[in-house]
Amino acid sequence: MVEWKKYSHKSEVKWTVDGLMLDIDHHTKTKHLLLESYLQDWVETLTGNCKIGTGQVTLVDGFCGGGIYRDGDDYWEGSPIRMIRAVEAGWRSVKERKPYQDLNIAYLFVDAQREHTECLKYQIREAGYGELLDSGRCRVVTGDFEDQLEDCLSWVKQRGGHSFFFLDPFGLADLPGMSRAILSLGRSEVLLNHMQHDGFMRPMGWHRSRGSIETFLEKYGFANHYDWCKEIDKLSTLKQQALLHDSALRLYRECSAPRFAWTFAFMRNPNTVYYYLIHLSNKPTAVSVMRRTLWKYNNLDYQFHYGIFGLGYRTLDDLNQNLQLLDIHQRNSQACQEKLREQLERFMFAQKALQFRKLFEGTVEQHPATREDYMGVIHQMVLDGDLEIIREERSRCTSRIFNKDIIRKSEAKQLVLLSDRTSERIPRKRRASRTSSASKHVTALETSLTSQSLLFPEFEL
Ligand SMILES: C[S@@+](CC[C@H](N)C(=O)[O-])C[C@H]1O[C@@H](n2cnc3c(N)ncnc32)[C@H](O)[C@@H]1O
């Protein structure tokens, strides 16, 4: 961990109580909106979807900053205040429907700079949440998050319930190691900022030009995942980007041992990623909720970008691009569902029958579809006579599929494994209606290159 600290930027003071603050940019705004939208859904799902929801939730922002940005002549709240707003709003809406339910919510915000934590406390009061500080439900701590982690985990464990950690440092930190410790709690998840450009490409370039790339990769334990970087100059930009994406996911999958890992790209320019938000979790429900959120903020063209960057966000350079977005969501949704159908055909080809839950969990890391997409596509396959949905021993034709439902190949029709005939088989009329209904609800995210190359055999780098 000591080595990682060399690359963190904590020595610079960026926020103070008397008005020093950063200017907000488009990426950070989208990152904040995504975080806020996910957390509101998260708390509503945890507490609202069953008779008696969870009793405690704990939210941690390990690199919290000062809680406020300048946005032109206006101000923009930072991640810790947005976390509070989202969770309190989500809980309020559940409480209105279920006044008998209780939820104990606690927040912990950590930053290495005292100026930042002082500024954040001030901003929390300004935002109207002073009571959270006074009651101890919100704690703001000054210190290195790495050093605080052990105490923090004991506290979260003692509280019980579900926890969410947001890890958003400037530059490098031992995020894989910290995430592993966090996920070992069980009902916890991590959304982290993997600084692909500043944290990886820049230091790698620096070391490569000085002939010390191998030592650098070894020192951080990246040698297994980023070994190809020694030859990086020989690769095209897109191939570099695809490998970086794949390596990042492999790094977290192997080092942090989540059950599910997924990325969302923030583009620096049309061909390179600035940073990835990476979601690590152990629960399929967390994956489902996060997918809906990520599709909501995705504005990359699925057909081109998905195999390289996954889903992601790029800033809108001009009005024309903005207008293009009007149909990007529809095109993306259709392309994603067609790929999902191919995937399910392949998957079901090797199975007789299995529960919907197992089907979803067994394939969800191989493409970006949401749970709602699964239901829509399976329903379509039932209509086409390829699959059957069995509930309480009866065959159903429904787009509302439950975890326990059995999905099996139709006895009347055998699935044929032909990857490129999916779109031909779906009648044009039905395809259109599927797409428009699917585009109404928001959808989800991506996977490692290894599995993408199976899904996208036609995709050549
Ligand atoms: C990118 S800013 C956080 C911004 C915040 N997440 C937001 O979106 O509003 C990163 C923060 O991490 C803090 N930091 C850097 N290294 C740290 C460490 N080892 N432990 C805790 N905080 C650290 C910095 O002082 C800085 O305030």
Side-chain angles (χ1 to χ4, degrees), residues 342-359:
E342 284 175 27
Q343 159 94 22
L344 291 184
E345 285 183 355
R346 285 165 209 273
F347 191 74
M348 290 306 293
F349 191 72
Q351 311 278 338
K352 268 195 172 140
L354 79 170
Q355 273 186 349
F356 176 64
R357 182 177 67 82
K358 290 198 173 144
L359 175 78

Side-chain angles (χ1 to χ4, degrees), residues 429-442:
K429 217 165 146 194
R430 277 204 198 137
R431 253 192 289 158
S433 68
R434 259 189 329 125
T435 307
S436 57
S437 66
S439 63
K440 276 184 203 144
H441 64 71
V442 282

Side-chain angles (χ1 to χ4, degrees), residues 260 279 281 283-292 360 364 445:
F260 303 103
H279 181 229
S281 67
K283 302 277 177 211
T285 314
V287 178
S288 304
V289 176
M290 182 53 93
R291 287 205 168 182
R292 283 203 298 270
F360 179 71
V364 72
L445 71 141

Side-chain angles (χ1 to χ4, degrees), residues 5 8-10 12 15 28 31-32 61-67 69 77-80 110-113 116 143-146 166 168-170:
K5 283 188 182 176
S8 75
H9 294 208
K10 67 178 176 235
E12 251 181 83
W15 285 276
T28 312
K31 178 176 73 181
H32 285 159
D61 187 340
F63 302 81
C64 63
Y69 292 79
E77 287 171 344
S79 60
V110 181
D111 199 287
Q113 298 282 358
H116 296 182
D144 272 13
F145 186 59
E146 293 92 323
F166 184 52
D168 179 25
F170 289 126

Side-chain angles (χ1 to χ4, degrees), residues 150-306:
E150 211 177 305
D151 285 351
C152 166
L153 295 181
S154 316
W155 172 65
V156 175
K157 203 168 176 177
Q158 187 196 335
R159 283 180 47 74
H162 291 260
S163 55
F164 173 90
F165 287 71
F166 184 52
L167 307 182
D168 179 25
F170 289 126
L172 273 185
D174 183 12
L175 297 180
M178 288 191 262
S179 301
R180 186 183 188 92
I182 293 167
L183 290 169
S184 70
L185 284 174
R187 286 184 290 178
S188 54
E189 60 191 274
V190 178
L191 184 65
L192 62 87
N193 183 337
H194 177 81
M195 274 290 189
Q196 175 146 292
H197 181 71
D198 289 352
F200 285 75
M201 290 308 282
R202 219 148 43 107
M204 273 185 209
W206 191 90
H207 283 283
R208 225 179 33 252
S209 64
R210 284 160 184 78
S212 54
I213 181 77
E214 300 207 9
T215 331
F216 171 77
L217 292 173
E218 283 293 332
K219 204 156 61 180
Y220 286 90
F222 292 157
N224 290 343
H225 306 97
Y226 290 88
D227 198 40
W228 57 271
C229 286
K230 286 181 266 175
E231 308 280 309
I232 198 166
D233 293 334
K234 297 182 188 147
L235 306 174
S236 68
T237 307
L238 287 184
K239 181 131 190 166
Q240 284 178 16
Q241 292 295 309
L243 284 168
L244 276 164
H245 171 261
D246 193 31
S247 303
L249 259 180
R250 224 178 35 238
L251 175 72
Y252 289 98
R253 282 191 173 133
E254 287 173 16
C255 299
S256 313
R259 201 165 154 219
F260 303 103
W262 208 258
T263 66
F264 186 84
F266 283 84
M267 306 299 292
R268 205 160 157 253
N269 58 46
N271 293 325
T272 53
V273 171
Y274 182 25
Y275 58 84
Y276 279 111
L277 276 186
I278 302 189
H279 181 229
L280 307 173
S281 67
N282 292 320
K283 302 277 177 211
T285 314
V287 178
S288 304
V289 176
M290 182 53 93
R291 287 205 168 182
R292 283 203 298 270
T293 313
L294 296 191
W295 271 104
K296 195 161 152 186
Y297 292 97
N298 174 61
N299 67 5
L300 301 187
D301 188 332
Y302 181 90
Q303 296 280 26
F304 172 68
H305 294 97
Y306 179 70

